[in-house]
Amino acid sequence: MPTYQEAAQIIKNASHVTVFTGAGISVESGIPPFRGENGLWNTYDPIFLDIRYFHANPRESWQVIKEIFYDFFGQAHPNAAHLGIAQLEKDGYVKATITQNIDNLHQDAGSIEVYEYHGNSRNLICTSCGQKSPASHFDLNLLPPLCIRCSKILKPDFIFYGEAIPEPAMSLSFQETEQADVFLLVGTTGEVMPAAQLPHIAKRNGAKIIEINIEPSLYTQQITDIFLQGKATVAITNLLEAIEN
Ligand code: APR
Ligand code: ZN
């Protein structure tokens, strides 16, 4: 398969490979994507993840957040794509993974350098004093959860629409993007800014773009050099085989 061989050669010759992932990499772990077939936004109104709506209607917002992110994500385990990326980092081919996902599956798979551009659902953060606590410490049948320290409302420690990208993830992701000579995109539409700009910046800096997706994304025609069409678990497994042979 020339494309896998080509992609493997580019990665082996690279000096700084950065991985950039979206919801598509976690679909085979049982977590629905946001867009496309079975997309969460086909069922739920994104308004429940708008920060102004959350502050005005914390209970209603939390009921939907619990259903989407805690009832679904709870049992999810890393799949062969997450594990393959962790292996590439361990073998020295990948320097870091920038993810838009909040499911912690890259870390669960063993990836070390993971920059969570949209935060992480595993912790809750107090809307008043900023205290962070594991979501597992709270009974999410009693909503909204309240801060142990100041009794104010807690929110998941991932960004809502209308919130700023968290630091240090934003700066570290930007540094990665500046240094990368190869960007490996896995399972993202490229629709949501500012995260979606990172592959474009890498491309402008001369990086090679290798993309894995089940169907073309906004990147494919615009910046992708090698498009490995297919499910993330299959494509990453094929890519590892091509690199190791
Ligand atoms: N393997 C590879 N790619 C897949 C798979 C799969 N098994 N299943 C779906 N995809 C692809 C889809 O073709 C699509 O391009 O994954 C992408 C999923 O798109 P989105 O759900 O829009 O995910 P993402 O691009 O990460 O969304 C960005 O939008 O709502 C916000 O904060 C949320 O981080 C999210 C951001
Ligand atoms: Zn507090």
Side-chain angles (χ1 to χ4, degrees), residues 26 31 73 78 82 99 101-110 114 116 119-123:
S26 297
I31 296 178
F73 283 16
H82 299 102
T99 187
N101 301 339
I102 57 175
D103 53 33
N104 209 77
L105 292 182
H106 283 298
Q107 296 94 319
D108 290 349
V114 179
E116 296 176 302
N120 185 311
S121 58
R122 293 283 167 92
N123 283 322

Side-chain angles (χ1 to χ4, degrees), residues 21-25 27-28 32-36 39 41 100-101 118 159 161 186-192 212-217 230-233:
T21 65
I25 196 171
V27 166
E28 292 161 89
F34 292 97
R35 296 169 190 81
W41 297 150
Q100 302 169 83
N101 301 339
H118 291 157
I159 61 158
Y161 290 109
V186 187
T188 182
T189 45
E191 281 186 24
V192 178
I212 291 172
N213 201 313
I214 50 170
E215 61 187 16
S217 70
K231 289 185 171 184
T233 52

Side-chain angles (χ1 to χ4, degrees), residues 108-235:
D108 290 349
S111 286
I112 309 291
E113 285 302 312
V114 179
Y115 305 144
E116 296 176 302
Y117 210 74
H118 291 157
N120 185 311
S121 58
R122 293 283 167 92
N123 283 322
L124 305 185
I125 184 168
C126 178
T127 53
S128 173
C129 72
Q131 163 121 331
K132 286 191 186 184
S133 337
S136 55
H137 287 186
F138 296 87
D139 174 3
L140 293 182
N141 293 308
L142 305 171
L143 296 176
L146 302 178
C147 177
I148 298 166
R149 188 157 74 179
C150 73
S151 309
K152 292 289 190 303
I153 287 171
L154 298 174
K155 71 175 276 292
D157 190 22
F158 56 76
I159 61 158
F160 284 32
Y161 290 109
E163 281 196 290
I165 302 299
E167 283 296 6
M170 184 163 76
S171 315
L172 290 170
S173 302
F174 195 72
Q175 275 167 31
E176 263 308 298
T177 302
E178 294 282 297
Q179 290 167 21
D181 59 349
V182 175
F183 238 56
L184 173 57
L185 316 183
V186 187
T188 182
T189 45
E191 281 186 24
V192 178
M193 291 296 174
Q197 70 180 333
L198 295 174
H200 291 285
I201 295 170
K203 180 74 177 182
R204 274 202 298 278
N205 292 345
K208 282 274 187 211
I209 308 293
I210 301 170
E211 180 183 10
I212 291 172
N213 201 313
I214 50 170
E215 61 187 16
S217 70
L218 289 179
Y219 295 119
T220 316
Q221 289 309 323
Q222 291 176 26
I223 61 171
T224 296
D225 295 299
I226 295 186
F227 183 47
L228 305 173
Q229 183 151 11
K231 289 185 171 184
T233 52
V234 175

